[in-house]
Amino acid sequence: GKVYTYIKREIEDGGKLHFSLVDPEKVLNLEDLRKTLRALVEAGTNAILIGGSLNVFNEDVEKIVDIVEELEVPSILFPGSIAGIAKNADAIMMLSLLNSDDVYFIVGAQAYAAPIIKRLGLEVLPTGYIVVGEAHTSVSIMGRARMIPFDKPEICAAYALAGKYMGMRFIYLEAGSGAPKPVPPEFVRVVKKAIEDTILIVGGGIRSSEVALEIANAGADIIVTGTIIEKDLERAIKIISSLRRK
Ligand code: 1GP
């Protein structure tokens, strides 16, 4: 697929990538969003992720995707449920919440989604999604995640490697949107060592360029930020520029 090829090429060129997350629930005004996204793309963000755990309605997602289509970066759906699917996106992260206690979030929702994704012809990015840390966030609660504490990276590495061996092209370590603590660099290092060249995405609670760089240097290929974009756009732009210089 085009989006996968683009991501892979950027990483092989030695780059660290940045994805900007738009949570449809938080979007109040599409004109403001257009300006924000343009600023993020100018700063060098590599893709726009669209999704959230709650209060997501397919029509809202489509409106956001339409705005991303005006920009030079791909729109990637990041669905918290089947309501997060939209027909006009460039790709969809096929998330399997590997450490969920509920089979629905591992393969059930995906079975509802798969025929729709096929019909719409969306590019699929197969992603092993692992919720880590001990904070109770929307994703950990809604996804019934069996939380992996930050002092047990080897457990996370085992899940991540299982995902890789089951054919997933991406492993996403998620501390949860707005998490009080981001994934520690040492945790990232242990997981990356296990999965080697499988693409590692890290997000949740990243609010400064120092932290983003530490996580990237520890082995994350892609850094995701969401909340900081809404709260402090200048800071988000700084994070992107510091990763761009890598
Ligand atoms: C959530 O990892 C992302 O899925 C982003 O988290 O909103 O804390 O940046 P933040």
Side-chain angles (χ1 to χ4, degrees):
K2 266 167 70 174
V3 177
Y4 179 75
T5 308
Y6 158 69
I7 295 170
K8 191 80 185 155
R9 194 186 327 114
E10 291 290 313
I11 292 171
E12 280 167 3
D13 284 350
K16 294 292 183 182
L17 276 63
H18 177 272
F19 288 2
S20 298
L21 172 67
V22 177
D23 183 342
E25 191 192 25
K26 311 269 171 60
V27 175
L28 302 171
N29 179 303
L30 290 176
E31 209 38 60
D32 290 346
L33 179 70
R34 180 176 275 118
K35 286 188 201 128
T36 301
L37 293 183
R38 197 159 276 295
L40 293 165
V41 170
E42 274 165 19
T45 198
N46 298 94
I48 311 296
L49 292 184
I50 304 141
S53 295
L54 281 173
N55 200 5
V56 172
F57 182 55
N58 157 277
E59 250 178 48
D60 301 327
V61 179
E62 280 176 6
K63 284 183 191 145
I64 298 167
V65 172
D66 280 338
I67 293 178
V68 181
E69 293 300 292
E70 300 165 10
L71 306 167
E72 301 74 36
V73 296
S75 55
I76 303 176
L77 302 173
F78 179 58
S81 72
I82 54 168
I85 304 173
K87 61 176 180 299
N88 46 353
D90 294 311
I92 182 165
M93 271 193 189
M94 193 72 176
L95 301 167
S96 175
L97 209 174
L98 298 178
N99 63 322
S100 177
D101 266 340
D102 187 338
V103 71
Y104 180 78
F105 295 100
I106 302 171
V107 72
Q110 295 77 357
Y112 284 108
I116 303 170
I117 293 170
K118 187 176 169 79
R119 182 146 52 86
L120 298 178
L122 295 172
E123 178 180 343
V124 171
L125 306 174
T127 306
Y129 192 46
I130 309 174
V131 180
V132 298
E134 284 165 286
H136 293 283
T137 58
S138 301
V139 66
S140 75
I141 297 166
M142 298 309 289
R144 301 173 60 101
R146 183 194 297 242
M147 303 301 286
I148 302 172
F150 287 143
D151 62 354
K152 294 269 186 281
E154 67 282 1
I155 296 179
C156 186
Y159 274 102
L161 190 56
K164 175 189 172 111
Y165 288 163
M166 289 191 287
M168 284 149 186
R169 301 281 189 97
F170 299 84
I171 295 295
Y172 190 141
L173 302 186
E174 173 69 88
S177 188
K181 291 194 196 105
V183 186
E186 189 46 36
F187 193 99
V188 173
R189 200 168 283 119
V190 172
V191 174
K192 185 61 176 175
K193 190 161 183 265
I195 62 171
E196 299 174 332
D197 57 350
T198 299
I199 299 169
L200 184 60
I201 308 173
V202 179
I206 300 172
R207 300 181 193 91
S208 75
S209 27
E210 292 75 21
V211 168
L213 274 178
E214 271 178 16
I215 293 173
N217 288 333
D221 299 294
I222 302 172
I223 300 288
V224 181
T225 61
T227 307
I228 195 69
I229 296 170
E230 300 150 20
K231 297 234 160 103
D232 188 341
L233 182 60
E234 284 311 309
R235 252 179 117 93
I237 287 173
K238 270 196 197 134
I239 293 176
I240 298 168
S241 339
S242 64
L243 292 167
R244 284 277 61 78
R245 280 197 295 275
K246 285 290 304 158

